[in-house]
Amino acid sequence: MAFFMTVVCLFVQVFALSIPVQATPKVLPSILSSNATQFAVRSLPNVTYPLPPNWAGHIPIPGAGNNKLFFWLFQAENLNASQNLILWLNGGPGCSSMTGLTLENGPLQFHTQTAVPKANPHSWTKLANVLYVDQPVGTGYSTGDKAPSNMADITDDFFRWLKAFYDHFPTLKKKNTYIVGESYAGIYIPYFAKAILANRSLLNINLKAIALGDPSLGNNAAMTDVVTSTYLHQLASLYNIPSNILHAFHTADHECGFDTVLSQLTYPAKAPITIQGNPEGLNFLKHLHKRKQEKRQTPCFPTVPDTPALINASIHDPCSIACATYTTAIAYLGSIKQCFDPYNTHSTCNTSLDTSSSTHYLNREDVKNAVHVPPEKQYMECNETVFERQSQEYVVPPA
């Protein structure tokens, strides 16, 4: 979504990060209930180190037919952290929260291509009980035949599912709860939090805060295209970007009015800022069209934009609605830097994120059996069908 990782934390109250680490406790009575034992994960293949007690499986969404969301809950590693609950969501839309669990902040980490999990010394289970949820339907391990197509339905599904989750883990309602996520979860989480706060008579949990990392916040052009040229200038020495290439993006900045937008940026904002036209469709429409073209083997812009003329042609390519500076920059940088990663522009082939190991592990039949997933369920890190369906709707977070 952006060239760089930026963290936005919206805290009502921040829980302490200096919790002394103790040995992993036995299952706490405050988590275990008679309704939860069916989800207990007894062991995981190839895990040779102690894991916190954990539970996983599918819980149906009430009133939604066969739709079920998958969760994986880990108990805090020490008693001092047991009063906290972090609910983690990845984005996409359509990307599994198992990515957060296995590659970011969970107690399972995959550092090599051997698909053998290692202990994570920085696991958030040192700070809290952590709940990972695959949503909406079709994401990750979640299953169903009635996928929601808009944010209102996704929010309604999640709220009703969350109520059902707490029926199995009722004492977690009292925990200091923090809903945290990244990328498109910047859209999901404000809607979910608003629904929770507006319906305390139906679900009364102790929601303390939300936190958003590298979030999508609605206007895709504001998050990407407007700052592309400026950021490329910052990368110029690192990537040895020629001056004529930088000039091509600078010219597009002016033609598209992005330099005018940047000149209005002040803190606090003096007034709403308007982005003229409809750069890149604001909500992934160029990407959707490009995917459909590529499936028909007639790509939108088949030539790598590596000259000023080609960069200008790509930015104003008919496949895009207008001013596709971000998409063009991604294509250009990918052509000059091996293993280019738009989420970490300083990464190398040795440090770039590789999800193949965790995907392979989560598709093993013995792993699926351990976490109560049917063997025929195929795990995907990101579901493009969910992405395309949800990207048809232009969504901004609720105020």
Side-chain angles (χ1 to χ4, degrees):
M1 299 304 172
F3 282 117
F4 50 89
M5 292 296 287
T6 179
V7 177
V8 179
C9 293
L10 310 175
F11 280 107
V12 178
Q13 174 181 334
V14 180
F15 60 89
L17 300 181
S18 57
I19 300 172
V21 176
Q22 303 174 4
T24 301
K26 296 180 180 179
V27 178
L28 297 176
S30 62
I31 291 184
L32 187 63
S33 74
S34 59
N35 287 335
T37 54
Q38 62 181 301
F39 299 112
V41 178
R42 308 299 178 186
S43 64
L44 282 172
N46 300 118
V47 174
T48 58
Y49 58 92
L51 273 178
N54 58 104
W55 301 261
H58 290 102
I59 294 177
I61 301 172
N66 295 322
N67 289 3
K68 302 175 182 179
L69 298 186
F70 177 80
F71 77 95
W72 201 334
L73 169 68
F74 289 84
Q75 181 177 291
E77 292 187 37
N78 62 83
L79 292 174
N80 291 329
S82 64
Q83 76 276 13
N84 299 320
L85 172 66
I86 297 173
L87 195 167
W88 171 266
L89 298 173
N90 276 84
C95 291
S96 171
S97 293
M98 300 307 103
T99 301
L101 166 59
T102 58
L103 295 169
E104 299 179 81
N105 51 50
L108 299 171
Q109 290 284 282
F110 291 82
H111 299 296
T112 67
Q113 296 183 355
T114 59
V116 176
K118 304 293 184 182
N120 179 10
H122 309 292
S123 173
W124 286 8
T125 52
K126 300 181 185 301
L127 306 173
N129 307 291
V130 186
L131 170 63
Y132 299 89
V133 183
D134 276 346
Q135 67 80 46
V137 168
T139 301
Y141 277 143
S142 291
T143 61
D145 50 20
K146 187 182 177 183
S149 59
N150 56 66
M151 198 63 229
D153 290 344
I154 289 170
T155 302
D156 185 55
D157 275 3
F158 184 78
F159 182 80
R160 285 184 287 123
W161 180 88
L162 198 60
K163 287 179 59 183
F165 169 82
Y166 283 114
D167 288 341
H168 293 283
F169 299 90
T171 56
L172 290 180
K173 289 182 181 180
K174 300 177 182 178
K175 303 297 182 182
N176 299 322
T177 301
Y178 307 86
I179 307 179
V180 186
E182 66 185 15
S183 188
Y184 202 83
I187 298 291
Y188 291 141
I189 290 175
Y191 277 93
F192 296 168
K194 183 178 181 180
I196 291 168
L197 295 174
N199 294 279
R200 288 194 177 276
S201 61
L202 299 175
L203 178 62
N204 188 17
I205 66 173
N206 188 19
L207 181 60
K208 291 290 187 180
I210 64 174
L212 312 175
D214 186 29
S216 295
L217 293 173
N219 189 315
N220 203 43
M223 294 184 294
T224 56
D225 299 282
V226 168
V227 297
T228 292
S229 176
T230 301
Y231 193 65
L232 281 177
H233 278 77
Q234 294 183 14
L235 288 178
S237 59
L238 177 66
Y239 282 16
N240 295 316
I241 302 174
S243 59
N244 62 342
I245 298 294
L246 294 173
H247 181 72
F249 280 99
H250 179 76
T251 300
D253 236 18
H254 181 69
E255 292 172 347
C256 297
F258 296 155
D259 52 355
T260 302
V261 174
L262 289 173
S263 68
Q264 297 177 66
L265 295 181
T266 59
Y267 183 83
K270 295 178 180 178
I273 298 173
T274 300
I275 300 176
Q276 298 296 326
N278 192 21
E280 297 214 41
L282 298 183
N283 208 38
F284 310 110
L285 294 183
K286 175 185 170 100
H287 300 273
L288 293 178
H289 187 57
K290 184 177 180 181
R291 280 183 169 86
K292 292 174 182 177
Q293 291 272 358
E294 288 171 346
K295 287 177 182 177
R296 293 196 297 266
Q297 297 182 336
T298 55
C300 287
F301 196 84
T303 305
V304 174
D306 56 3
T307 68
L310 288 174
I311 285 170
N312 182 66
S314 175
I315 289 172
H316 301 291
D317 175 39
C319 271
S320 63
I321 295 176
C323 295
T325 56
Y326 172 74
T327 305
T328 301
I330 291 293
Y332 170 73
L333 292 172
S335 73
I336 65 171
K337 185 178 189 298
Q338 190 177 11
C339 305
F340 171 69
D341 182 355
Y343 296 99
N344 181 2
T345 53
H346 287 70
S347 69
T348 66
C349 291
N350 294 325
T351 62
S352 60
L353 189 64
D354 179 12
T355 61
S356 60
S357 296
S358 58
T359 297
H360 174 77
Y361 183 81
L362 293 169
N363 269 316
R364 286 174 46 171
E365 189 168 331
D366 53 353
V367 173
K368 287 188 270 190
N369 181 63
V371 296
H372 314 295
V373 170
E376 67 273 11
K377 174 60 182 176
Q378 184 74 14
Y379 171 81
M380 292 185 292
E381 181 203 2
C382 293
N383 187 325
E384 189 167 310
T385 300
V386 175
F387 177 92
E388 292 189 4
R389 180 176 60 243
Q390 195 169 339
S391 295
Q392 300 292 341
E393 181 186 23
Y394 176 52
V395 184
V396 295

